[in-house]
Amino acid sequence: MRDERIADLFQIKTRFLRSAQLERDFNDPNAFSGYVMTEFTRSCLERVAKGLKPRSGQRAWRMTGDYGSGKSSFALLLAHWFAGNDSSFPPQIRKVVDFHRFGVQKPHFVPLLATCSRQALGATILKSLHQTVSQVYGRGKKSKLVAKLELLQGGKHEPSDDQVLNALLEVNSHLIADSRGNGLILILDELGKFFEFAALHPQRQDVFLLQRLAETASRSGDEPLFIVCLLHQGFNAYADYLNQSAQREWEKVAGRFDEIVFNQPVEQIAYLISSALNVNTSQLPSSLAHDQKHAMEQIGRASCRERV
């Protein structure tokens, strides 16, 4: 043991060495290799799944959490689960997220995945919408729909909020009518980048497209549309430099979304860290392993006494 380093005890899995990227990782068959499903993430999935119930109004969500908290990885899981790809999950995940446990029918939605940048939200959505429709229909009979989206993207004038929203709803209706899916689930990662753009150009009032999206999703009824936004801070944090009137407007927009604070309990974070480090305990000296086990038992007993 003298010639070994502490680092030699760690067998860190590759998934913990890089961040998740929705568009890239969605088609990666190994995306969930080593994914750790906690009770917290299961409860988050269950909350969003409530929107699958007939005529539910819980179809617009904002998920707020620190860098590295696992939001994007969870969003990837959410996209696959809503797409009905749960059979590709590792057995330990598939068992935990069985849709029967949530009291809903198996979903079959088309994921619309977009990572925001410092540009208009409408442009980001149209780009993702065009890519998704092209993949779903290819060169089939819906080529006119693809052409329409290309025209919106390449026009002389920037598409209006109405045009973006109508295009989204038109695609959603076509997918349902053609039995390609139950509807769309739009997942916007790095929404804070868009907010930075909106705060720099308050005269454009781009943030109101987000409000209309949330209201449309919440009222989507029998043609369900979901929207899930991921960001590192609350809406107000990006509006600090705006006047009070604009800040109040942003607060109203935030209120259109149900919020999930992606903040895992300490004991579940400890479990995640343990899984990430993947310590090879067989290489520990028996005396050290015994001392650590004894210390953990004492901590457990002390914790129990405090709760009593």
Side-chain angles (χ1 to χ4, degrees):
M1 186 68 184
R2 291 180 180 178
D3 297 327
E4 294 184 4
R5 303 172 303 165
I6 292 177
D8 294 331
L9 299 172
F10 301 149
Q11 298 177 339
I12 301 176
K13 299 171 184 177
T14 55
R15 72 162 295 106
F16 296 104
L17 299 177
R18 64 177 179 85
S19 60
Q21 208 280 337
L22 291 183
E23 297 96 314
R24 175 195 66 204
D25 293 341
F26 185 77
N27 296 312
D28 181 357
N30 298 314
F32 294 106
S33 176
Y35 183 84
V36 180
M37 192 78 185
T38 65
E39 178 58 30
F40 174 79
T41 52
R42 193 205 69 83
S43 68
C44 290
L45 179 59
E46 183 176 14
R47 287 183 63 188
V48 180
K50 289 180 180 178
L52 292 170
K53 295 182 178 179
R55 306 196 68 80
S56 171
Q58 292 182 288
R59 294 174 180 169
W61 296 88
R62 55 187 169 104
M63 192 175 301
T64 311
D66 294 332
Y67 288 97
S69 59
K71 299 187 305 301
S72 295
S73 292
F74 172 76
L76 195 62
L77 177 81
L78 186 70
H80 275 283
W81 190 83
F82 264 77
N85 298 336
D86 55 303
S87 59
S88 64
F89 292 163
Q92 69 274 16
I93 298 178
R94 188 166 62 248
K95 182 179 180 180
V96 174
V97 300
D98 183 1
F99 60 92
H100 290 298
R101 292 175 175 235
F102 300 153
V104 297
Q105 294 185 348
K106 184 173 182 175
H108 179 49
F109 281 72
V110 176
L112 187 60
L113 309 177
T115 300
C116 296
S117 58
R118 286 190 174 184
Q119 67 171 8
L121 183 61
T124 299
I125 292 174
L126 286 176
K127 179 181 178 181
S128 180
L129 197 59
H130 175 263
Q131 292 173 343
T132 301
V133 172
S134 299
Q135 291 169 359
V136 172
Y137 288 106
R139 298 181 180 275
K141 65 177 183 177
K142 286 298 179 290
S143 58
K144 289 184 179 179
L145 190 58
V146 174
K148 185 175 182 179
L149 291 170
E150 290 175 349
L151 187 63
L152 277 176
Q153 286 182 284
K156 292 182 179 179
H157 302 289
E158 184 178 330
S160 66
D161 289 357
D162 283 338
Q163 289 175 309
V164 173
L165 192 58
N166 289 337
L168 189 65
L169 291 175
E170 184 177 356
V171 170
N172 198 52
S173 295
H174 276 302
L175 291 170
I176 296 171
D178 295 338
S179 299
R180 298 299 182 104
N182 302 135
L184 285 167
I185 176 168
L186 170 61
I187 301 181
L188 297 170
D189 199 2
E190 298 288 351
L191 188 68
K193 296 294 184 183
F194 159 68
F195 280 139
E196 290 171 2
F197 173 84
L200 290 171
H201 305 90
Q203 72 283 356
R204 292 171 52 95
Q205 297 188 325
D206 284 306
V207 74
F208 290 109
L209 173 58
L210 199 60
Q211 176 178 324
R212 295 185 64 184
L213 286 168
E215 291 171 347
T216 300
S218 298
R219 300 169 183 168
S220 54
D222 296 330
E223 291 195 348
L225 169 69
F226 281 78
I227 176 171
V228 180
C229 302
L230 281 63
L231 62 164
H232 303 300
Q233 307 174 83
F235 282 37
N236 289 346
Y238 299 95
D240 278 348
Y241 299 106
L242 300 179
N243 60 47
Q244 289 187 351
S245 177
Q247 289 181 15
R248 285 194 295 269
E249 293 298 332
W250 282 42
E251 287 177 8
K252 291 179 183 177
V253 175
R256 299 298 193 274
F257 293 82
D258 288 301
E259 185 178 27
I260 292 176
V261 179
F262 207 82
N263 185 17
Q264 306 227 33
V266 173
E267 65 273 12
Q268 293 179 37
I269 292 177
Y271 176 58
L272 284 169
I273 293 173
S274 173
S275 299
L277 294 178
N278 196 23
V279 177
N280 186 354
T281 55
S282 64
Q283 294 186 19
L284 289 172
S286 57
S287 59
L288 179 60
H290 177 270
D291 290 343
Q292 294 302 315
K293 182 179 179 180
H294 179 67
M296 288 301 298
E297 290 174 348
Q298 287 184 316
I299 291 172
R301 286 194 292 270
S303 177
C304 289
R305 287 196 296 269
E306 287 182 4
R307 285 197 293 267
V308 173

